[in-house]
């Protein structure tokens, strides 16, 4: 039965007298009562660790072990906020994130202890969960009953970091009330209930796992099943073992599962729904054919400012329409004028991208609660009374919205604005393409040039003549869209949340360790980029005073060192 309670703490409390299974992990389980009891003990310990005047902010640097939801629940009872620390950012960056969010306690595990070696963390108490010292501390609080009296819907609960594609990541604020509202919305939208089992395989330092998976489980009273780290090969076995019915995903996770070896019993599983972003139309259809599980692509600004909901009749490729209460528009970020409707062919090709693509804004009330200690970023999101998502979209004549990438991924080529996601959609049609990323490298004169990284089913099969002919045959490929450089990778680099690591690709540019093919000016075909070509390009940048825009060179193999 769905709860109508208004704080996360109250949702934790309702498990106190419930002895149904609440959590699965690596063959072990906890009842909902044991989860509530564990949360109460940790909340009391956390309160005693704080000094007078300390902000009740808790850093969590953990894999998806039971300790993660236990400390989230403890923070809710304590009226505290959790800053999820991304272990892939490195030690110095983790220290920056902890100090920026003013965490006075950091909960971690022995696997991440080396990450903290040598770091200056003044005033931060470190608890290592899988040690006798931590167990002894918690033993002193055994038997403490949960108390939700300190929590209110307005309490900060999450300080979760954005991806940080430019500069240091920003810590978005999510209150207890907003998290409960988000969980309640998903429960209603998808018909989730207490008999469901939510499989959490995405990292819990990321908003997707907490907001879209853990929160609706709390609201409905469902059990959760944890995977320490995402595993494509272990996905189906986990789902069957714990009886998972619902899961969330981001980035390339779905494609990695699809890349595992097919078996005749793949459809023999309890799943009924997957919810996430960036699976893509092709992979979503393939997943449903193979596993009998519907994937629903959704869009919600992680900061809470805008949402798009998929409804019956949503065309292939579209995300959906504006969620109830949102006044969404696709606008020119400079003039604020609405973009014209998209012209889309019967096979889903966008024919007027340069005119139709703009930034998605919410002109009505929104739930953005700000960034922690970042007034400039707050102002940029809220400028001129609108909420600016930072995401590119286009809208068809019937009002359906289509995602076209991040504003950070927009390229400006010969004074024309291009959306990387649109070019990626075209290149993904190339024979054998498993994954595609499009990004900007600086032009020697002004603006950008288009570069693409492509992972193929056979990394040595790239044929420059076939590729050039393919581009020439694409009716929706504008004259400025064809990549100047094509990097062929064996495996597409990804972040900890399985999203393509575009920042790393941009940083390396065309002077990378992988084979690169390029189309020289005034030429229609592609050829292998040589050291001599690179030297000539660098000299051109230097002559025009733009060499400093190039990323540092990476040691490149000679052309003959790898298959062409």
């Amino acid at each position: 039965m769905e709860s109508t309670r208004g704080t996360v703490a109250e949702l934790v409390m309702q498990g106190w007298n419930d002895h149904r299974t609440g959590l699965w992990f690596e063959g072990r389980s906890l009842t909902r009562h044991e989860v509530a009891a564990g949360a109460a003990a940790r909340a009391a310990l956390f309160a005693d660790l704080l000094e007078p005047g300390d902000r009740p902010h808790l850093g969590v640097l953990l894999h998806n072990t039971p300790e993660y939801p236990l400390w989230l629940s403890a923070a809710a009872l304590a009226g505290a906020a959790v800053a999820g620390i991304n272990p892939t950012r490195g030690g110095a960056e983790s220290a920056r994130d902890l100090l920026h969010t003013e965490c006075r306690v950091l909960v971690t595990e022995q696997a991440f202890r080396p990450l903290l070696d040598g770091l200056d963390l003044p005033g931060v108490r470190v608890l290592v969960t899988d040690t006798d010292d931590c167990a002894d501390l918690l033993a002193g609080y055994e038997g403490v009953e949960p108390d939700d009296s300190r929590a209110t819907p307005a309490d900060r609960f999450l300080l979760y970091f954005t991806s940080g594609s430019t500069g240091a990541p920003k810590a978005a604020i999510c209150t207890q009330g907003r998290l409960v509202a988000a969980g309640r919305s998903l429960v209603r939208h998808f018909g989730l209930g207490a008999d469901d089992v939510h499989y959490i395989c995405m990292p819990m330092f990321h908003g997707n796992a907490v907001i879209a998976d853990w929160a609706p489980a709390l609201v409905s009273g469902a059990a959760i099943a944890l995977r320490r780290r995402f595993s494509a090969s272990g996905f189906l076995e986990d789902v069957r073992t714990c009886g998972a019915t619902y899961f969330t995903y981001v980035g390339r996770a779905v494609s990695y599962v699809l890349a595992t070896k097919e078996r005749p019993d793949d459809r023999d599983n309890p799943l009924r729904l997957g919810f996430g972003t960036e699976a893509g139309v092709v992979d979503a259809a393939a997943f449903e054919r193979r596993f009998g599980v519907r994937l629903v692509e959704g869009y919600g600004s992680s900061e809470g400012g805008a949402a798009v909901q998929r409804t019956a009749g949503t065309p292939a490729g579209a995300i959906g329409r504006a969620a109830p209460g949102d006044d969404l528009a696709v606008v020119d970020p400079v003039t604020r004028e609405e973009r014209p409707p998209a012209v889309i062919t019967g096979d889903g090709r966008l024919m007027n991208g340069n005119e139709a693509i703009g930034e998605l804004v919410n002109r009505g009330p929104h739930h953005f609660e700000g960034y922690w200690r970042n007034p400039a970023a707050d102002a940029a999101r809220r400028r001129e009374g609108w909420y600016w998502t930072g995401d590119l979209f286009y809208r068809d004549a019937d009002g359906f919205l289509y995602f076209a990438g991040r504003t950070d991924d927009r390229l400006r080529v010969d004074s024309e604005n291009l959306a990387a996601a649109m070019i990626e959609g075209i290149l993904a049609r190339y024979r054998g393409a498993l994954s595609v990323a499009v990004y900007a490298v600086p032009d020697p004169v002004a603006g950008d040039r288009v570069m693409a990284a492509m992972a193929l089913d056979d990394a040595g099969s790239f044929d420059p003549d076939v590729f050039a002919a393919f581009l020439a045959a694409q009716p929706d490929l504008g004259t400025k869209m064809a990549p100047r450089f094509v990097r062929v990778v064996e495996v597409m680099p990804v972040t900890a949340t399985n999203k393509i690591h575009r920042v790393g690709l941009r940083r390396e540019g065309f002077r990378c360790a992988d084979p690169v093919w390029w189309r020289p000016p005034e030429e229609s075909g592609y050829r292998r980029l040589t050291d001599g070509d690179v030297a000539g390009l660098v000299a051109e940048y230097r002559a025009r005073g733009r060499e400093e825009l190039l990323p540092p060179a990476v040691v490149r193999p000679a052309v003959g060192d790898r298959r062409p």
Side-chain angles (χ1 to χ4, degrees):
M1 178 178 179
E2 181 192 331
S3 169
T4 58
R5 298 171 183 268
T7 68
V8 178
E10 290 170 318
L11 297 176
V12 173
M13 278 280 292
Q14 71 181 9
W16 180 249
N17 293 313
D18 190 341
H19 294 276
R20 294 177 303 130
T21 298
L23 186 154
W24 296 78
F25 177 72
E26 295 182 352
R28 297 178 286 123
S29 66
L30 296 175
T31 66
R32 298 188 74 227
H33 168 78
E34 288 171 325
V35 171
R42 286 160 178 78
L45 170 59
F46 175 71
D48 286 348
L49 290 175
L50 294 179
E51 298 290 340
D54 281 349
R55 292 195 187 278
H57 289 184
L58 169 69
V60 177
L61 175 61
L62 295 169
H63 285 122
N64 285 8
T65 68
E67 290 294 333
Y68 216 123
L70 284 171
W71 279 101
L72 282 173
S73 301
L77 294 172
V82 172
I85 306 302
N86 180 351
T88 68
R89 274 177 43 76
E93 289 79 9
S94 296
R96 177 264 169 201
D97 293 347
L98 281 166
L99 298 178
H100 173 70
T101 49
E102 301 181 70
C103 292
R104 293 295 173 258
V105 177
L106 171 65
V107 175
T108 189
E109 58 188 283
Q110 293 188 73
F112 292 133
R113 203 66 181 87
L115 196 65
L116 305 176
D117 290 344
L119 297 182
D120 184 19
L121 297 171
V124 179
R125 174 73 179 267
V126 178
L127 288 181
V128 184
T129 59
D130 50 349
T131 62
D132 291 339
D133 288 345
C134 187
D136 290 342
L137 279 174
L138 283 171
Y141 297 89
E142 189 173 340
V144 173
E145 293 192 14
D147 175 12
D148 63 1
S149 63
R150 287 173 288 186
T152 73
D155 285 341
R156 287 187 302 274
F157 180 60
L158 299 176
L159 297 170
Y160 56 100
F161 290 97
T162 61
S163 58
S165 57
T166 56
K170 303 178 288 290
I173 297 169
C174 179
T175 59
Q176 291 207 28
R178 179 157 80 86
L179 188 74
V180 172
R184 186 177 297 141
S185 175
L186 288 170
V187 165
R188 290 173 176 164
H189 190 64
F190 292 133
L192 301 172
D195 293 333
D196 281 303
V197 177
H198 293 224
Y199 180 50
I200 303 178
C201 55
M202 296 292 99
M204 294 191 75
F205 64 76
H206 190 258
N208 168 275
V210 176
I211 297 172
D213 217 343
W214 184 68
L218 274 184
V219 168
S220 67
I224 64 170
L226 298 175
R227 175 78 191 196
R228 186 182 298 267
R229 297 179 65 183
F230 172 73
S231 168
S233 60
F235 178 85
L236 195 56
E237 180 182 354
D238 281 353
V239 162
R240 287 168 170 162
T241 299
C242 66
T245 56
Y246 171 85
F247 76 104
T248 62
Y249 60 88
V250 291
R252 304 290 300 166
V254 167
S255 67
Y256 294 149
V257 174
L258 288 171
T260 61
K261 186 177 180 179
E262 289 193 47
R263 296 179 47 173
D265 62 348
D266 279 343
R267 295 175 69 92
D268 180 16
N269 68 77
L271 279 175
R272 65 181 180 87
L273 180 67
F275 174 58
T277 62
E278 301 182 38
V281 177
V282 173
D283 279 357
F287 197 90
E288 184 166 8
R289 283 196 303 271
R290 178 171 166 184
F291 298 104
V293 180
R294 181 170 63 103
L295 298 187
V296 177
E297 288 278 291
Y299 171 85
S301 170
S302 57
E303 293 88 345
V308 179
Q309 288 188 352
R310 188 175 186 88
T311 57
T314 299
I319 301 297
R321 289 191 171 107
D326 283 353
D327 178 14
L328 302 188
V330 178
V331 304
D332 183 305
V334 177
T335 67
R336 300 179 72 214
E337 294 179 354
E338 283 202 53
R339 292 295 202 178
V343 177
I344 303 173
T345 64
D347 58 357
R349 303 188 184 200
L350 176 64
M351 304 308 295
N352 63 334
N354 197 47
E355 295 80 23
I357 293 172
E359 184 168 352
L360 186 71
V361 299
N362 187 357
R363 300 177 296 193
H366 54 77
H367 303 292
F368 175 53
E369 296 175 310
Y371 296 110
W372 180 251
R373 293 173 54 197
N374 199 331
D378 281 354
R381 283 281 185 231
R382 294 183 167 121
R383 66 185 186 272
E384 300 171 308
W386 294 353
Y387 176 83
W388 296 74
T389 65
D391 291 321
L392 300 173
F393 273 78
Y394 55 95
R395 194 175 210 154
D396 68 20
D398 295 318
F400 289 102
L401 290 157
Y402 299 70
F403 181 67
R406 294 281 302 166
T407 53
D408 291 342
D409 294 328
R410 191 140 190 157
L411 302 85
R412 190 162 179 82
V413 179
D414 292 342
S415 300
E416 184 173 322
N417 292 317
L418 305 175
M422 301 310 301
I423 306 174
E424 288 171 355
I426 296 170
L427 298 187
R429 304 168 194 156
Y430 181 66
R431 180 196 63 196
L434 300 176
S435 181
V436 177
V438 169
Y439 46 98
V441 293
D443 183 90
V445 178
D448 304 316
R449 286 181 173 177
V450 180
M451 184 163 181
M454 302 183 70
L456 307 176
D457 54 9
D458 178 359
S461 67
F462 183 78
D463 185 315
D465 295 331
V466 171
F467 183 72
F470 159 79
L471 294 179
Q474 306 310 305
D476 51 343
L477 185 75
T479 57
K480 306 294 196 315
M481 292 182 178
R484 178 73 64 183
F485 302 95
V486 179
R487 175 178 178 174
V488 180
V489 300
E490 292 186 359
V491 178
M492 189 68 72
V494 295
T495 66
T497 55
N498 296 304
K499 295 184 178 181
I500 293 175
H501 199 334
R502 300 175 192 280
V503 174
L505 291 169
R506 282 196 295 265
R507 284 174 181 164
E508 293 183 358
F510 55 77
R511 294 192 291 180
C512 57
D514 291 309
V516 174
W517 301 83
W518 78 306
R519 182 172 51 84
E522 312 305 328
E523 294 186 23
S524 59
Y526 289 82
R527 57 182 173 83
R528 184 71 178 272
L529 185 71
T530 66
D531 290 340
D533 293 327
V534 171
L537 285 165
V538 172
E540 185 180 0
Y541 283 90
R542 185 182 302 121
R544 296 179 181 274
R546 287 171 64 86
E547 184 180 7
E548 73 279 1
L549 299 179
L550 291 174
V554 176
V555 176
R556 288 166 41 83
V559 171
D561 289 348
R562 298 180 62 172
R563 290 178 297 174

